[in-house]
Amino acid sequence: MKPNHLLMKRLLITAASAALLAGCAGKGPVPTLYDFGPIQASKAAPTMPQMVLVVADATGPAWLDSRTMYYRLLYTDAQQSRPYANNHWNSTPLQMLSARLKSRIAQAGGKVLSITDATAGTMLLRIEVDDFSQNFDSQQASSGNITLRASLLRARSLQDQKIFTHTTATDSADAAGGARALAAASDAIAADIIAWLAARPLQKE
């Protein structure tokens, strides 16, 4: 092989190696994804076997319609919401809350209909989420916090409305602990909503 050919081959190998290393470096750390996990049976949950209703998808501020995981350092600046860099939700908090609430109502014996399957007099449950975040009281202690407003309507007429809030302490002051605490808080709020619905006078279709 001629000297110039050998030099060219070495240059090409060096360039390919540099490009490979640059590509690997550019990818950065692989994000960790969290969700609420599989739904578990709850023996203590109230039942609502004769209620038929539509559960609308939860609504809320734009920051809850993304997969970003947020936390607040209450001991530093409670008004600042900070995103985790390499930890994300598998789907948005609004989507996860909607799915979990529908599943819990069905598990309690309620009949959850889609809007297209409902009749004009079917009860409609709307959920508006105000807060869904992990709050740090100190570097070692945090909690998962959810606050939402539930509105029950029939034929566009408001039947009842209530604010629900729940705080669950984390078992570890990190993103994983926050995900577990928020999953537990969502189940607790779902149970409270079911109890609220079940306590209403029975209104058949």
Side-chain angles (χ1 to χ4, degrees):
M1 182 178 292
K2 295 181 179 181
N4 59 336
H5 289 173
L6 182 59
L7 178 60
M8 184 62 69
K9 184 177 181 180
R10 289 176 177 173
L11 289 173
L12 289 173
I13 293 174
T14 301
S17 299
L20 180 60
L21 290 173
C24 292
K27 291 180 180 179
V30 178
T32 302
L33 302 179
Y34 295 96
D35 56 28
F36 288 168
I39 189 168
Q40 304 292 330
S42 179
K43 296 180 180 179
T47 59
M48 43 184 298
Q50 299 186 65
M51 178 166 279
V52 179
L53 75 165
V54 172
V55 180
D57 290 337
T59 60
W63 63 275
L64 289 178
D65 199 21
S66 76
R67 298 193 301 125
T68 304
M69 294 182 72
Y70 289 97
Y71 65 94
R72 295 179 188 272
L73 303 179
L74 300 185
Y75 60 92
T76 298
D77 186 355
Q79 293 180 306
Q80 184 177 359
S81 182
R82 308 163 190 257
Y84 277 106
N86 300 311
N87 300 279
H88 304 281
W89 293 112
N90 227 348
S91 55
T92 74
L94 295 179
Q95 291 171 330
M96 291 190 297
L97 282 170
S98 299
R100 184 53 61 101
L101 180 57
K102 292 175 184 179
S103 294
R104 285 300 187 189
I105 289 175
Q107 188 181 57
K111 306 298 185 291
V112 181
L113 301 180
S114 66
I115 292 179
T116 56
D117 293 332
T119 63
T122 304
M123 299 292 282
L124 171 66
L125 178 65
R126 285 182 178 169
I127 300 297
E128 298 170 86
V129 185
D130 293 321
D131 188 34
F132 182 95
S133 59
Q134 180 181 7
N135 293 341
F136 284 81
D137 294 310
S138 68
Q139 292 184 352
Q140 294 77 34
S142 68
S143 59
N145 304 270
I146 301 176
T147 299
L148 56 81
R149 181 169 61 258
S151 301
L152 191 63
L153 302 96
R154 180 187 289 273
R156 299 185 179 181
S157 176
L158 182 64
Q159 303 296 302
D160 202 354
Q161 187 178 82
K162 188 175 181 179
I163 293 177
F164 295 88
T165 185
H166 196 85
T167 297
T168 300
T170 62
D171 54 15
S172 61
D174 53 16
R180 288 189 290 269
L182 285 164
S186 71
D187 281 334
I189 279 189
D192 290 343
I193 291 174
I194 290 170
W196 171 61
L197 293 172
R200 291 186 52 79
L202 181 63
Q203 292 176 302
K204 296 183 178 180
E205 288 298 297

